[in-house]
Amino acid sequence: MIPQFNNILYASDLGESARPAFTLAAKEAFKHEAQLTFLNVVEPASGAAEALLDGYLSDVDLHSMRSQGIAKIRDLMDQRIRQFYNEELQNRLPLKHYPLARVEEGPAAETIIEVAEELNADLIVMGTRTRTHSALGRFFVGSTAQSVLQLCDRPMMIVPLK
């Protein structure tokens, strides 16, 4: 039986080379008339970083900086979606559902899985940059995509990025 995807979660670190993964996620969304959610996970600051900032900034200032940073990330995501529409979908039918942009805070792999469960995502699409080709190197050098793949019970599409 060929799976039907209704909700596709595309998770990205917003790297410049991530576009091929987004393009494949959008292609699947188009093919299945699925809702595409574009997710970026912001890792929480380390305890040492928080302690250092606490010495210089008030809680109000820290909260304001975090909110401004997340707003900038969301703006960048919206810009990437619009750019994709303008460049990739010229003279073509648009996606049935306009992609949603979502920013979450937390450990990346666990947060991606939590959002996938919340959305009841039928497919998770992620890009990965291969840093090493040796089996031993891949074993010790984990990536977010590898962690999600190991922990997740949903279909995934992993796209190699430059």
Side-chain angles (χ1 to χ4, degrees):
M1 176 188 234
I2 297 174
Q4 175 63 36
F5 301 132
N6 297 312
N7 292 301
I8 297 173
L9 177 63
Y10 165 66
S12 173
D13 64 0
L14 301 177
E16 287 299 320
S17 63
R19 187 159 179 169
F22 183 76
T23 300
L24 283 175
K27 189 181 287 186
E28 290 299 314
F30 184 81
K31 182 170 35 173
H32 294 275
E33 297 185 343
Q35 175 64 63
L36 176 60
T37 301
F38 183 172
L39 173 67
N40 177 261
V41 178
V42 178
E43 296 264 358
S46 69
E50 288 282 342
L52 181 64
L53 290 173
D54 281 343
Y56 293 100
L57 300 168
S58 70
D59 287 343
V60 172
D61 291 337
L62 280 173
H63 180 72
S64 175
M65 283 178 60
R66 182 173 280 129
S67 296
Q68 289 173 6
I70 289 175
K72 284 183 181 182
I73 291 169
R74 188 177 310 283
D75 288 345
L76 178 59
M77 294 168 75
D78 288 336
Q79 176 186 2
R80 295 249 175 113
I81 291 169
R82 282 191 309 275
Q83 182 180 12
F84 173 80
Y85 259 74
N86 292 337
E87 294 174 7
E88 299 284 338
L89 297 179
Q90 285 183 342
N91 304 320
R92 293 186 181 170
L93 292 173
L95 296 170
K96 182 175 181 179
H97 307 283
Y98 193 80
L100 302 174
R102 184 164 173 175
V103 181
E104 295 290 334
E105 274 189 84
E110 292 87 351
T111 304
I112 291 166
I113 292 168
E114 288 171 9
V115 171
E117 289 173 359
E118 177 189 323
L119 297 174
N120 196 24
D122 304 298
L123 176 68
I124 300 172
V125 179
M126 297 179 69
T128 186
R129 291 171 193 83
T130 306
R131 290 181 174 83
T132 180
H133 294 287
S134 73
L136 185 61
R138 284 193 308 272
F139 179 77
F140 286 113
V141 181
S143 72
T144 301
Q146 288 169 333
S147 296
V148 173
L149 187 59
Q150 290 171 344
L151 298 171
C152 190
D153 63 353
R154 296 170 191 278
M156 288 189 67
M157 180 183 292
I158 304 296
V159 181
L161 304 174
K162 293 180 182 174

